[in-house]
Amino acid sequence: MAARRPPISSELEAELFAANQRTCCICHEPRKHVQIHHIDGDRTNNEWENLAVLCLDCHSRVTGDEGLGRKYKPEEVTLYKERWEVACEGDDDDGEDEETEGDEDDDDDDEEDEEALYSKAREFIIRASDHQAFPFRLSKGVRFVATVHSDEPVDITVASERVYDRWDDGEEVDPDVSEEDHLEATVEFIPPRTGTFVLWIENNDKKAKATVSLDVTIWPSEDGDDA
Ligand SMILES: [Zn+2]
């Protein structure tokens, strides 16, 4: 039955592994054995957007093979992949920032002119009664700033990944940041520890989809020089 399955070319495989630093895009644990996962479940679809680098543990959580734990939706895997590939791109510093602004290099010694660690704008649609989640790996003390514009009122929440998972399972949670019913809002969050945090945007309208633009900038920790 697997007869017509076109293989992923070795060039594509190498590019994917390089773009993900041969590291699982969900758990980011270094030196784990990884494999390529077809996000939409179609093993003949070898488009870049459909291929995620996952460790075996996360792979079985995604496919649900192990029968326990929460299963990841394809959209979530896509987000982890995109986010991780952007993070990896920032790491190897070859000057190809696609979405960051301000490429002018003023030779200022002015330290107040700090450079953002990460900056990305995106636009997407959230269906009625649905939400969109964006995981970020944040170091303790950085300043996470997210600006949201929407054509329907949305709720904006930031919390640790664990809190998000519990919320997603229907539990009442106490998130770090919670802004309800906004067409426009900027939220700031300074993580109390290093870890994975999730920003999620919820469209509570039962009928209307929301078109949302999200701008996220992460600034370096401020108490670095003062200590
Ligand atoms: Zn993993």
Side-chain angles (χ1 to χ4, degrees):
M1 26 182 277
R4 285 186 302 126
R5 192 170 146 189
I8 296 171
S9 72
S10 52
E11 288 91 344
L12 181 57
E13 185 183 83
E15 273 179 50
L16 259 174
F17 280 154
N20 288 265
Q21 297 184 354
R22 221 179 222 282
T23 302
C24 174
C25 70
I26 292 182
C27 69
H28 307 167
E29 273 191 51
R31 290 181 295 279
K32 272 176 117 174
H33 183 76
V34 290
Q35 59 182 198
I36 295 175
H37 166 66
H38 290 84
I39 296 172
D40 69 356
D42 176 1
R43 292 175 155 181
T44 64
N45 179 1
N46 290 338
E47 292 298 317
W48 181 271
E49 294 72 30
N50 193 42
L51 302 174
V53 174
L54 296 179
C55 72
L56 302 185
D57 294 334
C58 291
H59 187 256
S60 62
R61 288 175 75 192
V62 166
T63 57
D65 286 345
E66 63 180 5
L68 41 98
R70 197 171 67 92
K71 207 171 153 175
Y72 286 87
K73 290 181 232 158
E75 300 79 36
E76 283 179 276
V77 179
T78 299
L79 289 172
Y80 278 107
K81 167 193 164 74
E82 288 175 352
R83 167 70 189 106
W84 181 238
E85 287 177 0
V86 169
C88 291
E89 192 180 284
D91 270 4
D92 55 37
D93 220 23
D94 57 6
E96 274 190 77
D97 313 279
E98 282 167 28
E99 321 232 8
T100 43
E101 280 169 39
D103 265 314
E104 319 96 73
D105 259 302
D106 0 346
D107 278 305
D108 246 6
D109 285 318
D110 198 344
E111 294 197 17
E112 284 166 32
D113 231 15
E114 234 168 350
E115 234 181 279
L117 300 170
Y118 170 86
S119 176
K120 183 168 176 165
R122 53 195 122 198
E123 214 175 291
F124 46 89
I125 285 168
I126 308 177
R127 287 168 302 185
S129 308
D130 203 356
H131 77 278
Q132 187 83 262
F134 301 91
F136 292 91
R137 177 91 191 154
L138 299 177
S139 301
K140 180 184 175 182
V142 297
R143 197 156 59 91
F144 174 89
V145 183
T147 301
V148 174
H149 292 264
S150 173
D151 63 351
E152 291 291 331
V154 289
D155 297 350
I156 303 139
T157 313
V158 181
S160 70
E161 191 174 35
R162 245 194 18 222
V163 168
Y164 167 74
D165 284 344
R166 285 177 24 218
W167 175 83
D168 202 27
D169 285 342
E171 277 183 53
E172 286 275 341
V173 295
D174 185 19
D176 295 281
V177 173
S178 172
E179 289 286 343
E180 293 184 0
D181 256 357
H182 287 280
L183 291 172
E184 224 183 285
T186 295
V187 299
E188 276 199 38
F189 170 63
I190 296 180
R193 56 182 170 77
T194 297
T196 302
F197 294 85
V198 179
L199 163 84
W200 71 95
I201 301 171
E202 199 184 355
N203 177 9
N204 288 316
D205 198 283
K206 302 269 187 298
K207 292 195 209 93
K209 66 175 168 43
T211 304
V212 179
S213 69
L214 167 67
D215 245 296
V216 171
T217 307
I218 300 170
W219 299 95
S221 162
E222 272 165 14
D223 51 84
D225 308 293
D226 294 10

